[in-house]
Amino acid sequence: MGRRVFSYRNLTLIRSSVLHSRNFSSTILQPPRLCNSQPSTIPGIDFLRQSRRGFAKGRKSKDDSGSASVDVAVDIGPAVKENASAQMDAAVVALSRELCKIRTGRASDGMLDHIIVETRGVKVPLNRIALVSVLDSKTLSVNPYDPDTLKALQKAIASSPLGLNPKEDGQRLVAAIPPLTKEHIQAMCKVISKSSEDVKQSIRRARQKALDTIKKAGSSVPKDSVKRLEKEIDELTKKFVKSADDICKSKEKEITQG
């Protein structure tokens, strides 16, 4: 009899504690009411509710009713085109820099930009320590910002593969552009042709990387979007290949026509 009474007392206490915890939970979760007003909202609770409602895993999300999942389309097009364009453009810029190293029969203020000068134990590009200008179609003028670097400039220009022999003229250097020989013209045209082919291969590699990225995206990209994106990459490739061809043809014209 004592055990039954004890059990009933325990059961009563348990029920009481459960009811008390429910009332306590509802009190905590219930937004506070102001006098004669609608229930106010607690920003923290609303934030948690919205966060849970909007949470999505992978490419799945829920609609407003929360009853069905919806696939989220992934638009990789802009990033793929931007990366491909940057790589192709870098290849064309590198080509332009390489061709500037090739001497033509005509003076150009940029033909010395690639020369590195060592002065006071530091190696710097020539165009950072001197101003190069064209006196006429066959003569360059090199004016150092610091007269103490004149000798270092003269040595760097003379040792470059351009075949120039600059002379001191006061606080500047004057370099005459010697005429090109037939053998030199033929050799330079071969170098340009090789450079053109190298840059085209770089452009095609950038194209292939873009196509591989599209392929790896798989079913996340609609088929019509894939075809459109591949076409845009091909058009981009043709554009940069043409740009490289134009640069090389212009350089060949400079060399052959002097």
Side-chain angles (χ1 to χ4, degrees):
M1 185 66 178
R3 289 182 180 178
R4 290 183 182 179
V5 171
F6 180 78
S7 299
Y8 287 140
R9 287 184 64 188
N10 287 346
L11 181 60
T12 302
L13 289 173
I14 291 171
R15 288 179 179 176
S16 175
S17 63
V18 169
L19 290 175
H20 177 71
S21 64
R22 287 179 180 176
N23 292 335
F24 179 76
S25 300
S26 62
T27 301
I28 293 298
L29 295 177
Q30 193 74 349
R33 291 178 179 269
L34 300 177
C35 295
N36 300 324
S37 64
Q38 296 296 325
S40 61
T41 58
I42 301 177
I45 295 177
D46 286 344
F47 173 76
L48 292 174
R49 289 173 179 171
Q50 293 296 330
S51 299
R52 293 183 61 188
R53 191 174 300 165
F55 177 75
K57 184 176 181 181
R59 293 193 302 271
K60 297 291 183 179
S61 64
K62 291 187 177 182
D63 57 12
D64 294 338
S65 63
S67 59
S69 61
V70 179
D71 289 332
V72 179
V74 179
D75 186 9
I76 63 172
V80 171
K81 288 188 291 184
E82 183 178 354
N83 289 338
S85 179
Q87 292 173 13
M88 294 177 186
D89 184 64
V92 173
V93 170
L95 172 67
S96 298
R97 289 176 179 171
E98 281 298 313
L99 295 185
C100 283
K101 300 177 184 179
I102 299 176
R103 180 174 69 84
T104 66
R106 185 177 295 274
S108 168
D109 57 1
M111 66 187 301
L112 305 182
D113 286 352
H114 67 283
I115 295 178
I116 301 299
V117 183
E118 184 173 357
T119 174
R120 296 167 184 164
V122 180
K123 294 182 178 181
V124 293
L126 184 144
N127 57 6
R128 290 190 181 180
I129 62 173
L131 176 65
V132 180
S133 57
V134 177
L135 295 180
D136 56 53
S137 62
K138 299 293 182 180
T139 313
L140 282 177
S141 172
V142 182
N143 294 271
Y145 299 130
D146 181 358
D148 292 339
T149 61
L150 191 67
K151 292 293 185 182
L153 285 165
Q154 186 178 25
K155 180 181 178 182
I157 296 171
S159 60
S160 73
L162 294 176
L164 303 181
N165 188 22
K167 303 293 184 181
E168 290 188 31
D169 182 22
Q171 292 187 341
R172 70 175 182 176
L173 296 173
V174 175
I177 310 299
L180 297 175
T181 63
K182 184 178 180 179
E183 291 75 15
H184 185 80
I185 292 174
Q186 291 175 348
M188 291 302 98
C189 286
K190 288 182 180 179
V191 171
I192 292 172
S193 178
K194 177 68 166 56
S195 298
S196 175
E197 187 56 37
D198 289 344
V199 74
K200 287 177 183 177
Q201 288 181 3
S202 296
I203 292 171
R204 293 187 187 107
R205 283 195 294 270
R207 171 187 176 273
Q208 190 58 50
K209 286 181 181 179
L211 296 180
D212 290 344
T213 301
I214 298 170
K215 186 176 180 181
K216 288 178 181 178
S219 59
S220 64
V221 182
K223 290 184 178 180
D224 56 342
S225 296
V226 169
K227 291 181 179 179
R228 175 181 53 79
L229 190 54
E230 288 176 347
K231 184 179 179 181
E232 291 175 353
I233 294 297
D234 286 339
E235 291 174 353
L236 203 61
T237 303
K238 292 177 182 178
K239 170 188 170 184
F240 281 100
V241 166
K242 184 180 183 303
S243 178
D245 280 335
D246 291 343
I247 292 173
C248 291
K249 288 178 181 177
S250 177
K251 194 66 178 182
E252 285 182 357
K253 187 177 180 180
E254 285 183 35
I255 292 175
T256 56
Q257 296 183 4

